[in-house]
Each structure stands twice: as structure tokens, then as C-alpha cells.
Amino acid sequence: MIIMKKAILLTAVVSVLVITQTFTCFGGKTPEQALMPKINKVIDMLREAGPIEKGELKHKDIYPVVESAFDFRILSMLSLGTNWKRFSGNQKNEFTDLFSRLVTKIYLEKVEGQDLQDIKVEYDKTEDVESGANRAEVHTFVYHDSTETPVVYRMILKSGEWKVYDVVIEGVSMVGNYREQYRKKMFESPESLINDLREKIE
């Protein structure tokens, strides 16, 4: 994982869970309108927990909200790249489930003990993505601990609902990071990678 300064790292972690403002889009509902209630709920839970009690915040309380905001199937597929083809149908389902839980667990652990009261997000612009239909990139700036961090949310409209499938923080793609990690690990079987995920979650 790319090393960042502490303040930037915390901002990056929280930015995965934050999005605001409006954008005229398909189906009468903007990406932000679909995400705001869910994301605001996560942020409220983290803030209410406080820096001392945050370690006691249960993963099971946060995960359902995060899962509803992200398309972890696409995130998993892109993170594995061409190795996605090596997985059977059942293995793809299991990997997606475990991967989504691991991502949530990692980010939740990184904000434990931190004070999030000064987090602020400002909307910059929204752009259509030429490479695919019903996709958009929402550009924002996240402010925390006197640090400004540019964050781009890559979103897709599926079955009438906007969901995040990648987050780009200071030009670094979350999907790209995981793809590089799994590219190096995929010399063994898909089952070995699934077992590795299972052990990390436990």
C-alpha cells in the first residue's frame, strides 16, 4: 500500500466514505442523492463513537451501510484484473463477499482513535466518463487537520441506482492499488487467495 503522511492517510480513509453536492443524471436521482443518506450515517456513527470509544464500534454496524453505497462486485473484478477469469462462479461470489468485508475492516481500523469532527468535503465538479455508459466521476476536496486532499469518486448506474466502484485519492486509484497487490499474489490458486482473505477477516 502506498505510504502517506498521517494526516493525508486519515483524510484518504474518511474520504472513501464521504460524498456531497448535486449532479443532474439518469433516472431523476443524482449520485450524491443516492449516497448521502448512507454516507452521512457512517460519518455520524464514527463521530458519535468519539476517539476513545471508536475501537468498540462494531464492524457489523458499519458494513451494511458501506455495502449499500459501493458496487463491490465491480470493485472486486477490477481489482483482480485478468485473474478474475480464473475464479469459478462460486469463487467470484465468495471473493466479492470477503473482499468487501476486508476493505471495510481495513478502513474502519485506520480511523480508530481519531478525531473526525473537523472533516469537511467541498464539491468541485462532476464529469461523464467517455469509456462507459452511465458512469460519472465526482470530483471533491476533503479537508481535515489543515490538509486539502483531492478525491474523485468513480460511479456507475446499475439497475437505476448509482454506486461507487473506485475512489481516486491524490491521483491514486484504490482499485489500482489492490490490482497491483493481487497481481503479485496470483501465482497460486484462487482458493489460496480466498483463504488469505478469510484469515485476515478473522
Side-chain angles (χ1 to χ4, degrees), residues 124-185:
D124 181 26
K125 61 182 178 180
T126 300
E127 297 180 336
D128 293 332
V129 178
E130 296 181 359
S131 60
N134 295 357
R135 298 195 184 195
E137 291 187 348
V138 179
H139 296 247
T140 66
F141 289 99
V142 179
Y143 298 91
H144 171 69
D145 196 20
S146 301
T147 301
E148 176 187 276
T149 304
V151 179
V152 179
Y153 298 86
R154 291 175 174 167
M155 306 188 69
I156 186 170
L157 183 67
K158 287 182 62 179
S159 302
E161 185 175 4
W162 283 99
K163 289 197 174 186
V164 176
Y165 68 90
D166 190 16
V167 182
V168 182
I169 303 167
E170 292 195 314
V172 179
S173 162
M174 180 171 68
V175 163
N177 268 338
Y178 281 111
R179 182 185 297 152
E180 180 61 18
Q181 292 181 49
Y182 292 137
R183 182 187 65 80
K184 295 177 180 179
K185 287 185 177 180

Side-chain angles (χ1 to χ4, degrees), residues 26-44:
F26 307 93
K29 200 167 189 179
T30 70
E32 298 80 6
Q33 288 171 338
L35 280 172
M36 282 174 61
K38 304 167 188 176
I39 301 309
N40 288 339
K41 183 176 180 179
V42 171
I43 297 302
D44 288 343

